[in-house]
PDB file of all heavy atoms in Angstrom:
ATOM      1  N   LEU Z   1       5.795  31.175   6.418  1.00  0.00           N
ATOM      2  CA  LEU Z   1       5.552  29.995   5.640  1.00  0.00           C
ATOM      3  C   LEU Z   1       6.683  29.014   5.484  1.00  0.00           C
ATOM      4  O   LEU Z   1       6.477  27.827   5.599  1.00  0.00           O
ATOM      5  CB  LEU Z   1       5.123  30.447   4.169  1.00  0.00           C
ATOM      6  CG  LEU Z   1       3.734  31.167   4.131  1.00  0.00           C
ATOM      7  CD1 LEU Z   1       3.517  31.712   2.669  1.00  0.00           C
ATOM      8  CD2 LEU Z   1       2.541  30.203   4.408  1.00  0.00           C
ATOM      9  N   GLY Z   2       7.828  29.565   5.364  1.00  0.00           N
ATOM     10  CA  GLY Z   2       9.046  28.664   5.363  1.00  0.00           C
ATOM     11  C   GLY Z   2       9.163  27.880   6.613  1.00  0.00           C
ATOM     12  O   GLY Z   2       9.541  26.698   6.600  1.00  0.00           O
ATOM     13  N   ALA Z   3       9.010  28.566   7.769  1.00  0.00           N
ATOM     14  CA  ALA Z   3       9.068  27.880   9.039  1.00  0.00           C
ATOM     15  C   ALA Z   3       7.980  26.776   9.197  1.00  0.00           C
ATOM     16  O   ALA Z   3       8.236  25.698   9.699  1.00  0.00           O
ATOM     17  CB  ALA Z   3       8.932  28.910  10.158  1.00  0.00           C
ATOM     18  N   MET Z   4       6.776  27.074   8.732  1.00  0.00           N
ATOM     19  CA  MET Z   4       5.707  26.069   8.804  1.00  0.00           C
ATOM     20  C   MET Z   4       6.112  24.954   7.938  1.00  0.00           C
ATOM     21  O   MET Z   4       5.890  23.779   8.336  1.00  0.00           O
ATOM     22  CB  MET Z   4       4.415  26.786   8.311  1.00  0.00           C
ATOM     23  CG  MET Z   4       3.849  27.795   9.315  1.00  0.00           C
ATOM     24  SD  MET Z   4       2.357  28.597   8.556  1.00  0.00           S
ATOM     25  CE  MET Z   4       1.192  27.272   8.538  1.00  0.00           C
ATOM     26  N   GLY Z   5       6.572  25.209   6.723  1.00  0.00           N
ATOM     27  CA  GLY Z   5       6.925  24.120   5.827  1.00  0.00           C
ATOM     28  C   GLY Z   5       8.132  23.241   6.371  1.00  0.00           C
ATOM     29  O   GLY Z   5       8.030  22.064   6.261  1.00  0.00           O
ATOM     30  N   PHE Z   6       9.042  23.912   6.981  1.00  0.00           N
ATOM     31  CA  PHE Z   6      10.106  23.148   7.580  1.00  0.00           C
ATOM     32  C   PHE Z   6       9.686  22.264   8.745  1.00  0.00           C
ATOM     33  O   PHE Z   6      10.036  21.109   8.825  1.00  0.00           O
ATOM     34  CB  PHE Z   6      11.172  24.144   8.157  1.00  0.00           C
ATOM     35  CG  PHE Z   6      12.486  23.416   8.676  1.00  0.00           C
ATOM     36  CD1 PHE Z   6      13.514  23.001   7.815  1.00  0.00           C
ATOM     37  CD2 PHE Z   6      12.538  23.172  10.045  1.00  0.00           C
ATOM     38  CE1 PHE Z   6      14.560  22.399   8.260  1.00  0.00           C
ATOM     39  CE2 PHE Z   6      13.727  22.544  10.484  1.00  0.00           C
ATOM     40  CZ  PHE Z   6      14.696  22.119   9.626  1.00  0.00           C
ATOM     41  N   PHE Z   7       8.762  22.746   9.555  1.00  0.00           N
ATOM     42  CA  PHE Z   7       8.200  21.917  10.703  1.00  0.00           C
ATOM     43  C   PHE Z   7       7.454  20.832  10.156  1.00  0.00           C
ATOM     44  O   PHE Z   7       7.589  19.597  10.609  1.00  0.00           O
ATOM     45  CB  PHE Z   7       7.342  22.818  11.527  1.00  0.00           C
ATOM     46  CG  PHE Z   7       6.720  22.109  12.636  1.00  0.00           C
ATOM     47  CD1 PHE Z   7       7.416  21.690  13.776  1.00  0.00           C
ATOM     48  CD2 PHE Z   7       5.263  21.720  12.614  1.00  0.00           C
ATOM     49  CE1 PHE Z   7       6.865  20.989  14.808  1.00  0.00           C
ATOM     50  CE2 PHE Z   7       4.762  21.006  13.640  1.00  0.00           C
ATOM     51  CZ  PHE Z   7       5.492  20.624  14.778  1.00  0.00           C
ATOM     52  N   VAL Z   8       6.595  21.018   9.144  1.00  0.00           N
ATOM     53  CA  VAL Z   8       5.797  19.877   8.529  1.00  0.00           C
ATOM     54  C   VAL Z   8       6.717  18.928   7.863  1.00  0.00           C
ATOM     55  O   VAL Z   8       6.536  17.677   7.937  1.00  0.00           O
ATOM     56  CB  VAL Z   8       4.730  20.446   7.563  1.00  0.00           C
ATOM     57  CG1 VAL Z   8       4.032  19.215   6.788  1.00  0.00           C
ATOM     58  CG2 VAL Z   8       3.715  21.322   8.260  1.00  0.00           C
ATOM     59  N   GLY Z   9       7.789  19.381   7.287  1.00  0.00           N
ATOM     60  CA  GLY Z   9       8.803  18.456   6.711  1.00  0.00           C
ATOM     61  C   GLY Z   9       9.488  17.655   7.703  1.00  0.00           C
ATOM     62  O   GLY Z   9       9.745  16.482   7.464  1.00  0.00           O
ATOM     63  N   CYS Z  10       9.677  18.150   8.839  1.00  0.00           N
ATOM     64  CA  CYS Z  10      10.290  17.373   9.973  1.00  0.00           C
ATOM     65  C   CYS Z  10       9.356  16.276  10.407  1.00  0.00           C
ATOM     66  O   CYS Z  10       9.770  15.083  10.695  1.00  0.00           O
ATOM     67  CB  CYS Z  10      10.590  18.263  11.178  1.00  0.00           C
ATOM     68  SG  CYS Z  10      11.990  19.406  10.922  1.00  0.00           S
ATOM     69  N   LEU Z  11       8.136  16.551  10.357  1.00  0.00           N
ATOM     70  CA  LEU Z  11       7.068  15.546  10.722  1.00  0.00           C
ATOM     71  C   LEU Z  11       7.089  14.453   9.705  1.00  0.00           C
ATOM     72  O   LEU Z  11       7.086  13.217   9.993  1.00  0.00           O
ATOM     73  CB  LEU Z  11       5.671  16.165  10.857  1.00  0.00           C
ATOM     74  CG  LEU Z  11       5.440  17.146  11.984  1.00  0.00           C
ATOM     75  CD1 LEU Z  11       4.008  17.694  11.879  1.00  0.00           C
ATOM     76  CD2 LEU Z  11       5.700  16.512  13.327  1.00  0.00           C
ATOM     77  N   VAL Z  12       7.091  14.805   8.376  1.00  0.00           N
ATOM     78  CA  VAL Z  12       7.138  13.839   7.288  1.00  0.00           C
ATOM     79  C   VAL Z  12       8.383  13.017   7.364  1.00  0.00           C
ATOM     80  O   VAL Z  12       8.346  11.764   7.201  1.00  0.00           O
ATOM     81  CB  VAL Z  12       7.046  14.552   5.925  1.00  0.00           C
ATOM     82  CG1 VAL Z  12       7.181  13.541   4.806  1.00  0.00           C
ATOM     83  CG2 VAL Z  12       5.718  15.319   5.815  1.00  0.00           C
ATOM     84  N   LYS Z  13       9.530  13.574   7.703  1.00  0.00           N
ATOM     85  CA  LYS Z  13      10.785  12.838   7.785  1.00  0.00           C
ATOM     86  C   LYS Z  13      10.718  11.828   8.930  1.00  0.00           C
ATOM     87  O   LYS Z  13      11.272  10.742   8.851  1.00  0.00           O
ATOM     88  CB  LYS Z  13      11.965  13.771   7.954  1.00  0.00           C
ATOM     89  CG  LYS Z  13      13.306  13.097   7.953  1.00  0.00           C
ATOM     90  CD  LYS Z  13      14.472  14.091   8.115  1.00  0.00           C
ATOM     91  CE  LYS Z  13      15.793  13.323   8.079  1.00  0.00           C
ATOM     92  NZ  LYS Z  13      16.948  14.219   8.204  1.00  0.00           N
ATOM     93  N   SER Z  14      10.117  12.306  10.041  1.00  0.00           N
ATOM     94  CA  SER Z  14      10.039  11.479  11.255  1.00  0.00           C
ATOM     95  C   SER Z  14       9.151  10.214  10.951  1.00  0.00           C
ATOM     96  O   SER Z  14       9.433   9.131  11.481  1.00  0.00           O
ATOM     97  CB  SER Z  14       9.501  12.218  12.398  1.00  0.00           C
ATOM     98  OG  SER Z  14       9.287  11.438  13.502  1.00  0.00           O
ATOM     99  N   ASP Z  15       8.067  10.414  10.200  1.00  0.00           N
ATOM    100  CA  ASP Z  15       7.204   9.328   9.904  1.00  0.00           C
ATOM    101  C   ASP Z  15       6.696   9.488   8.444  1.00  0.00           C
ATOM    102  O   ASP Z  15       5.621  10.209   8.229  1.00  0.00           O
ATOM    103  CB  ASP Z  15       6.008   9.254  10.858  1.00  0.00           C
ATOM    104  CG  ASP Z  15       5.256   7.952  10.699  1.00  0.00           C
ATOM    105  OD1 ASP Z  15       5.438   7.266   9.633  1.00  0.00           O
ATOM    106  OD2 ASP Z  15       4.583   7.518  11.679  1.00  0.00           O
ATOM    107  N   PRO Z  16       7.330   8.875   7.450  1.00  0.00           N
ATOM    108  CA  PRO Z  16       6.929   9.085   6.050  1.00  0.00           C
ATOM    109  C   PRO Z  16       5.491   8.554   5.769  1.00  0.00           C
ATOM    110  O   PRO Z  16       4.927   8.876   4.707  1.00  0.00           O
ATOM    111  CB  PRO Z  16       7.931   8.197   5.255  1.00  0.00           C
ATOM    112  CG  PRO Z  16       9.147   8.068   6.207  1.00  0.00           C
ATOM    113  CD  PRO Z  16       8.528   8.045   7.569  1.00  0.00           C
ATOM    114  N   MET Z  17       4.889   7.789   6.671  1.00  0.00           N
ATOM    115  CA  MET Z  17       3.525   7.301   6.441  1.00  0.00           C
ATOM    116  C   MET Z  17       2.524   8.403   6.405  1.00  0.00           C
ATOM    117  O   MET Z  17       1.370   8.212   5.976  1.00  0.00           O
ATOM    118  CB  MET Z  17       3.218   6.311   7.502  1.00  0.00           C
ATOM    119  CG  MET Z  17       3.823   4.943   7.365  1.00  0.00           C
ATOM    120  SD  MET Z  17       3.148   4.080   5.919  1.00  0.00           S
ATOM    121  CE  MET Z  17       1.593   3.469   6.525  1.00  0.00           C
ATOM    122  N   ILE Z  18       2.860   9.618   6.941  1.00  0.00           N
ATOM    123  CA  ILE Z  18       1.860  10.719   6.887  1.00  0.00           C
ATOM    124  C   ILE Z  18       1.937  11.537   5.673  1.00  0.00           C
ATOM    125  O   ILE Z  18       1.162  12.481   5.463  1.00  0.00           O
ATOM    126  CB  ILE Z  18       2.046  11.685   8.135  1.00  0.00           C
ATOM    127  CG1 ILE Z  18       3.360  12.477   7.997  1.00  0.00           C
ATOM    128  CG2 ILE Z  18       2.124  10.889   9.382  1.00  0.00           C
ATOM    129  CD1 ILE Z  18       3.459  13.698   8.907  1.00  0.00           C
ATOM    130  N   SER Z  19       2.864  11.221   4.766  1.00  0.00           N
ATOM    131  CA  SER Z  19       3.019  12.015   3.569  1.00  0.00           C
ATOM    132  C   SER Z  19       1.858  11.832   2.595  1.00  0.00           C
ATOM    133  O   SER Z  19       1.211  10.755   2.565  1.00  0.00           O
ATOM    134  CB  SER Z  19       4.362  11.630   2.815  1.00  0.00           C
ATOM    135  OG  SER Z  19       4.288  10.323   2.462  1.00  0.00           O
ATOM    136  N   GLY Z  20       1.596  12.887   1.854  1.00  0.00           N
ATOM    137  CA  GLY Z  20       0.639  12.836   0.781  1.00  0.00           C
ATOM    138  C   GLY Z  20      -0.859  12.601   1.321  1.00  0.00           C
ATOM    139  O   GLY Z  20      -1.159  13.018   2.375  1.00  0.00           O
ATOM    140  N   SER Z  21      -1.625  11.910   0.509  1.00  0.00           N
ATOM    141  CA  SER Z  21      -3.027  11.750   0.804  1.00  0.00           C
ATOM    142  C   SER Z  21      -3.209  10.854   2.095  1.00  0.00           C
ATOM    143  O   SER Z  21      -4.029  11.197   2.946  1.00  0.00           O
ATOM    144  CB  SER Z  21      -3.748  11.138  -0.422  1.00  0.00           C
ATOM    145  OG  SER Z  21      -5.037  10.674  -0.033  1.00  0.00           O
ATOM    146  N   GLY Z  22      -2.553   9.740   2.129  1.00  0.00           N
ATOM    147  CA  GLY Z  22      -2.788   8.851   3.188  1.00  0.00           C
ATOM    148  C   GLY Z  22      -3.674   7.600   2.799  1.00  0.00           C
ATOM    149  O   GLY Z  22      -3.678   6.515   3.462  1.00  0.00           O
ATOM    150  N   ILE Z  23      -4.469   7.806   1.808  1.00  0.00           N
ATOM    151  CA  ILE Z  23      -5.395   6.741   1.364  1.00  0.00           C
ATOM    152  C   ILE Z  23      -4.512   5.528   0.796  1.00  0.00           C
ATOM    153  O   ILE Z  23      -4.880   4.431   1.095  1.00  0.00           O
ATOM    154  CB  ILE Z  23      -6.384   7.224   0.250  1.00  0.00           C
ATOM    155  CG1 ILE Z  23      -7.318   8.329   0.959  1.00  0.00           C
ATOM    156  CG2 ILE Z  23      -7.185   6.079  -0.371  1.00  0.00           C
ATOM    157  CD1 ILE Z  23      -8.296   8.942   0.053  1.00  0.00           C
ATOM    158  N   PRO Z  24      -3.531   5.755  -0.039  1.00  0.00           N
ATOM    159  CA  PRO Z  24      -2.715   4.596  -0.473  1.00  0.00           C
ATOM    160  C   PRO Z  24      -2.107   3.829   0.694  1.00  0.00           C
ATOM    161  O   PRO Z  24      -1.981   2.617   0.685  1.00  0.00           O
ATOM    162  CB  PRO Z  24      -1.615   5.280  -1.324  1.00  0.00           C
ATOM    163  CG  PRO Z  24      -2.211   6.543  -1.815  1.00  0.00           C
ATOM    164  CD  PRO Z  24      -3.056   7.007  -0.725  1.00  0.00           C
ATOM    165  N   GLN Z  25      -1.665   4.612   1.767  1.00  0.00           N
ATOM    166  CA  GLN Z  25      -1.125   3.950   2.919  1.00  0.00           C
ATOM    167  C   GLN Z  25      -2.149   3.033   3.616  1.00  0.00           C
ATOM    168  O   GLN Z  25      -1.792   1.911   4.090  1.00  0.00           O
ATOM    169  CB  GLN Z  25      -0.604   4.986   3.922  1.00  0.00           C
ATOM    170  CG  GLN Z  25       0.703   5.741   3.475  1.00  0.00           C
ATOM    171  CD  GLN Z  25       0.347   7.040   2.644  1.00  0.00           C
ATOM    172  OE1 GLN Z  25      -0.496   6.997   1.787  1.00  0.00           O
ATOM    173  NE2 GLN Z  25       0.925   8.129   3.080  1.00  0.00           N
ATOM    174  N   VAL Z  26      -3.404   3.534   3.734  1.00  0.00           N
ATOM    175  CA  VAL Z  26      -4.453   2.752   4.306  1.00  0.00           C
ATOM    176  C   VAL Z  26      -4.612   1.489   3.544  1.00  0.00           C
ATOM    177  O   VAL Z  26      -4.807   0.352   4.066  1.00  0.00           O
ATOM    178  CB  VAL Z  26      -5.788   3.551   4.434  1.00  0.00           C
ATOM    179  CG1 VAL Z  26      -6.916   2.687   4.869  1.00  0.00           C
ATOM    180  CG2 VAL Z  26      -5.598   4.748   5.334  1.00  0.00           C
ATOM    181  N   GLU Z  27      -4.652   1.577   2.199  1.00  0.00           N
ATOM    182  CA  GLU Z  27      -4.848   0.427   1.372  1.00  0.00           C
ATOM    183  C   GLU Z  27      -3.718  -0.518   1.504  1.00  0.00           C
ATOM    184  O   GLU Z  27      -3.879  -1.800   1.496  1.00  0.00           O
ATOM    185  CB  GLU Z  27      -5.032   0.794  -0.085  1.00  0.00           C
ATOM    186  CG  GLU Z  27      -6.323   1.639  -0.360  1.00  0.00           C
ATOM    187  CD  GLU Z  27      -6.466   2.022  -1.765  1.00  0.00           C
ATOM    188  OE1 GLU Z  27      -5.565   1.711  -2.582  1.00  0.00           O
ATOM    189  OE2 GLU Z  27      -7.513   2.681  -2.104  1.00  0.00           O
ATOM    190  N   GLY Z  28      -2.489  -0.032   1.649  1.00  0.00           N
ATOM    191  CA  GLY Z  28      -1.239  -0.820   1.811  1.00  0.00           C
ATOM    192  C   GLY Z  28      -1.352  -1.612   3.175  1.00  0.00           C
ATOM    193  O   GLY Z  28      -0.956  -2.753   3.239  1.00  0.00           O
ATOM    194  N   ILE Z  29      -1.901  -0.955   4.169  1.00  0.00           N
ATOM    195  CA  ILE Z  29      -1.977  -1.624   5.509  1.00  0.00           C
ATOM    196  C   ILE Z  29      -3.039  -2.766   5.443  1.00  0.00           C
ATOM    197  O   ILE Z  29      -2.774  -3.850   5.948  1.00  0.00           O
ATOM    198  CB  ILE Z  29      -2.414  -0.589   6.594  1.00  0.00           C
ATOM    199  CG1 ILE Z  29      -1.270   0.329   6.857  1.00  0.00           C
ATOM    200  CG2 ILE Z  29      -2.829  -1.345   7.899  1.00  0.00           C
ATOM    201  CD1 ILE Z  29      -1.605   1.483   7.787  1.00  0.00           C
ATOM    202  N   LEU Z  30      -4.112  -2.577   4.795  1.00  0.00           N
ATOM    203  CA  LEU Z  30      -5.153  -3.508   4.610  1.00  0.00           C
ATOM    204  C   LEU Z  30      -4.639  -4.738   3.775  1.00  0.00           C
ATOM    205  O   LEU Z  30      -5.107  -5.854   3.939  1.00  0.00           O
ATOM    206  CB  LEU Z  30      -6.410  -2.943   3.959  1.00  0.00           C
ATOM    207  CG  LEU Z  30      -7.190  -1.968   4.840  1.00  0.00           C
ATOM    208  CD1 LEU Z  30      -8.282  -1.326   4.100  1.00  0.00           C
ATOM    209  CD2 LEU Z  30      -7.770  -2.681   6.014  1.00  0.00           C
ATOM    210  N   MET Z  31      -3.702  -4.464   2.856  1.00  0.00           N
ATOM    211  CA  MET Z  31      -3.093  -5.521   2.016  1.00  0.00           C
ATOM    212  C   MET Z  31      -2.018  -6.213   2.743  1.00  0.00           C
ATOM    213  O   MET Z  31      -1.364  -7.137   2.162  1.00  0.00           O
ATOM    214  CB  MET Z  31      -2.661  -4.875   0.673  1.00  0.00           C
ATOM    215  CG  MET Z  31      -3.638  -4.358  -0.286  1.00  0.00           C
ATOM    216  SD  MET Z  31      -2.999  -3.436  -1.601  1.00  0.00           S
ATOM    217  CE  MET Z  31      -2.008  -4.661  -2.413  1.00  0.00           C
ATOM    218  N   LYS Z  32      -1.652  -5.779   3.938  1.00  0.00           N
ATOM    219  CA  LYS Z  32      -0.624  -6.310   4.722  1.00  0.00           C
ATOM    220  C   LYS Z  32       0.763  -6.102   4.157  1.00  0.00           C
ATOM    221  O   LYS Z  32       1.766  -6.831   4.406  1.00  0.00           O
ATOM    222  CB  LYS Z  32      -0.777  -7.879   4.886  1.00  0.00           C
ATOM    223  CG  LYS Z  32      -2.108  -8.318   5.416  1.00  0.00           C
ATOM    224  CD  LYS Z  32      -2.392  -7.891   6.857  1.00  0.00           C
ATOM    225  CE  LYS Z  32      -3.664  -8.351   7.426  1.00  0.00           C
ATOM    226  NZ  LYS Z  32      -3.878  -7.784   8.825  1.00  0.00           N
ATOM    227  N   ARG Z  33       0.882  -5.032   3.369  1.00  0.00           N
ATOM    228  CA  ARG Z  33       2.168  -4.691   2.751  1.00  0.00           C
ATOM    229  C   ARG Z  33       2.867  -3.424   3.415  1.00  0.00           C
ATOM    230  O   ARG Z  33       3.999  -3.177   3.141  1.00  0.00           O
ATOM    231  CB  ARG Z  33       2.038  -4.449   1.232  1.00  0.00           C
ATOM    232  CG  ARG Z  33       1.665  -5.698   0.483  1.00  0.00           C
ATOM    233  CD  ARG Z  33       1.734  -5.472  -1.007  1.00  0.00           C
ATOM    234  NE  ARG Z  33       1.396  -6.726  -1.759  1.00  0.00           N
ATOM    235  CZ  ARG Z  33       2.250  -7.684  -1.962  1.00  0.00           C
ATOM    236  NH1 ARG Z  33       3.483  -7.654  -1.522  1.00  0.00           N
ATOM    237  NH2 ARG Z  33       1.791  -8.761  -2.652  1.00  0.00           N
ATOM    238  N   LEU Z  34       2.116  -2.813   4.234  1.00  0.00           N
ATOM    239  CA  LEU Z  34       2.630  -1.697   5.059  1.00  0.00           C
ATOM    240  C   LEU Z  34       2.192  -1.786   6.459  1.00  0.00           C
ATOM    241  O   LEU Z  34       1.189  -2.407   6.784  1.00  0.00           O
ATOM    242  CB  LEU Z  34       2.162  -0.311   4.390  1.00  0.00           C
ATOM    243  CG  LEU Z  34       2.594   0.123   3.038  1.00  0.00           C
ATOM    244  CD1 LEU Z  34       1.893   1.396   2.621  1.00  0.00           C
ATOM    245  CD2 LEU Z  34       4.072   0.228   2.975  1.00  0.00           C
ATOM    246  N   ASP Z  35       2.992  -1.243   7.297  1.00  0.00           N
ATOM    247  CA  ASP Z  35       2.604  -1.238   8.715  1.00  0.00           C
ATOM    248  C   ASP Z  35       2.818   0.215   9.231  1.00  0.00           C
ATOM    249  O   ASP Z  35       3.561   1.009   8.622  1.00  0.00           O
ATOM    250  CB  ASP Z  35       3.558  -2.128   9.513  1.00  0.00           C
ATOM    251  CG  ASP Z  35       2.915  -2.513  10.863  1.00  0.00           C
ATOM    252  OD1 ASP Z  35       1.779  -2.044  11.169  1.00  0.00           O
ATOM    253  OD2 ASP Z  35       3.636  -3.157  11.718  1.00  0.00           O
ATOM    254  N   ALA Z  36       2.129   0.599  10.319  1.00  0.00           N
ATOM    255  CA  ALA Z  36       2.195   1.999  10.809  1.00  0.00           C
ATOM    256  C   ALA Z  36       2.057   2.052  12.271  1.00  0.00           C
ATOM    257  O   ALA Z  36       1.404   1.144  12.868  1.00  0.00           O
ATOM    258  CB  ALA Z  36       1.075   2.803  10.063  1.00  0.00           C
ATOM    259  N   ASN Z  37       2.575   3.020  12.931  1.00  0.00           N
ATOM    260  CA  ASN Z  37       2.363   3.441  14.242  1.00  0.00           C
ATOM    261  C   ASN Z  37       1.154   4.187  14.295  1.00  0.00           C
ATOM    262  O   ASN Z  37       1.218   5.469  13.990  1.00  0.00           O
ATOM    263  CB  ASN Z  37       3.544   4.149  14.811  1.00  0.00           C
ATOM    264  CG  ASN Z  37       3.461   4.475  16.352  1.00  0.00           C
ATOM    265  OD1 ASN Z  37       2.394   4.918  16.795  1.00  0.00           O
ATOM    266  ND2 ASN Z  37       4.487   4.293  17.085  1.00  0.00           N
ATOM    267  N   TRP Z  38       0.056   3.750  14.711  1.00  0.00           N
ATOM    268  CA  TRP Z  38      -1.287   4.391  14.575  1.00  0.00           C
ATOM    269  C   TRP Z  38      -1.341   5.701  15.281  1.00  0.00           C
ATOM    270  O   TRP Z  38      -1.906   6.682  14.811  1.00  0.00           O
ATOM    271  CB  TRP Z  38      -2.432   3.453  15.027  1.00  0.00           C
ATOM    272  CG  TRP Z  38      -2.475   3.209  16.511  1.00  0.00           C
ATOM    273  CD1 TRP Z  38      -1.874   2.150  17.127  1.00  0.00           C
ATOM    274  CD2 TRP Z  38      -3.138   3.956  17.460  1.00  0.00           C
ATOM    275  NE1 TRP Z  38      -2.118   2.239  18.456  1.00  0.00           N
ATOM    276  CE2 TRP Z  38      -2.885   3.360  18.713  1.00  0.00           C
ATOM    277  CE3 TRP Z  38      -3.930   5.066  17.453  1.00  0.00           C
ATOM    278  CZ2 TRP Z  38      -3.419   3.881  19.897  1.00  0.00           C
ATOM    279  CZ3 TRP Z  38      -4.451   5.617  18.634  1.00  0.00           C
ATOM    280  CH2 TRP Z  38      -4.220   4.945  19.860  1.00  0.00           C
ATOM    281  N   LEU Z  39      -0.870   5.773  16.526  1.00  0.00           N
ATOM    282  CA  LEU Z  39      -0.894   6.955  17.316  1.00  0.00           C
ATOM    283  C   LEU Z  39      -0.021   8.093  16.721  1.00  0.00           C
ATOM    284  O   LEU Z  39      -0.500   9.225  16.644  1.00  0.00           O
ATOM    285  CB  LEU Z  39      -0.465   6.691  18.753  1.00  0.00           C
ATOM    286  CG  LEU Z  39      -0.547   7.894  19.794  1.00  0.00           C
ATOM    287  CD1 LEU Z  39      -1.965   8.385  19.814  1.00  0.00           C
ATOM    288  CD2 LEU Z  39      -0.073   7.481  21.128  1.00  0.00           C
ATOM    289  N   ARG Z  40       1.160   7.768  16.366  1.00  0.00           N
ATOM    290  CA  ARG Z  40       2.044   8.752  15.769  1.00  0.00           C
ATOM    291  C   ARG Z  40       1.488   9.256  14.392  1.00  0.00           C
ATOM    292  O   ARG Z  40       1.467  10.519  14.153  1.00  0.00           O
ATOM    293  CB  ARG Z  40       3.442   8.118  15.497  1.00  0.00           C
ATOM    294  CG  ARG Z  40       4.441   9.227  15.083  1.00  0.00           C
ATOM    295  CD  ARG Z  40       5.874   8.620  15.101  1.00  0.00           C
ATOM    296  NE  ARG Z  40       5.978   7.390  14.212  1.00  0.00           N
ATOM    297  CZ  ARG Z  40       6.788   6.399  14.428  1.00  0.00           C
ATOM    298  NH1 ARG Z  40       7.605   6.373  15.496  1.00  0.00           N
ATOM    299  NH2 ARG Z  40       6.904   5.432  13.513  1.00  0.00           N
ATOM    300  N   VAL Z  41       0.919   8.363  13.573  1.00  0.00           N
ATOM    301  CA  VAL Z  41       0.282   8.826  12.333  1.00  0.00           C
ATOM    302  C   VAL Z  41      -0.907   9.735  12.611  1.00  0.00           C
ATOM    303  O   VAL Z  41      -1.091  10.776  11.965  1.00  0.00           O
ATOM    304  CB  VAL Z  41      -0.149   7.611  11.504  1.00  0.00           C
ATOM    305  CG1 VAL Z  41      -1.064   7.942  10.388  1.00  0.00           C
ATOM    306  CG2 VAL Z  41       1.059   6.791  11.003  1.00  0.00           C
ATOM    307  N   LEU Z  42      -1.669   9.358  13.588  1.00  0.00           N
ATOM    308  CA  LEU Z  42      -2.878  10.165  13.947  1.00  0.00           C
ATOM    309  C   LEU Z  42      -2.503  11.597  14.375  1.00  0.00           C
ATOM    310  O   LEU Z  42      -3.013  12.515  13.861  1.00  0.00           O
ATOM    311  CB  LEU Z  42      -3.667   9.464  15.062  1.00  0.00           C
ATOM    312  CG  LEU Z  42      -4.922  10.209  15.575  1.00  0.00           C
ATOM    313  CD1 LEU Z  42      -5.925  10.388  14.438  1.00  0.00           C
ATOM    314  CD2 LEU Z  42      -5.581   9.451  16.719  1.00  0.00           C
TER     315      LEU Z  42
END
C-alpha cells in the first residue's frame, strides 16, 4: 500500500491537475482560469 501511495503521489506531483475529484479543475478550464495537458491528465 505504501508503494502504491508513493507511486500515485509521484503522479500527483508530476501533474497537480489530477489531484482530488477533478470536477473543480474541469470548471476552472471552462472558466478560462486553468489550463491542462489533456493527454497527461487522461
Side-chain angles (χ1 to χ4, degrees):
L1 289 172
M4 292 174 66
F6 184 84
F7 178 75
V8 173
C10 289
L11 295 180
V12 174
K13 183 178 181 180
S14 177
D15 193 341
M17 284 290 283
I18 72 165
S19 63
S21 168
I23 295 176
Q25 291 91 310
V26 173
E27 294 181 358
I29 291 172
L30 291 172
M31 292 169 60
K32 306 296 183 183
R33 294 193 179 273
L34 293 175
D35 198 7
N37 182 317
W38 68 270
L39 182 58
R40 189 169 60 207
V41 168
L42 178 60

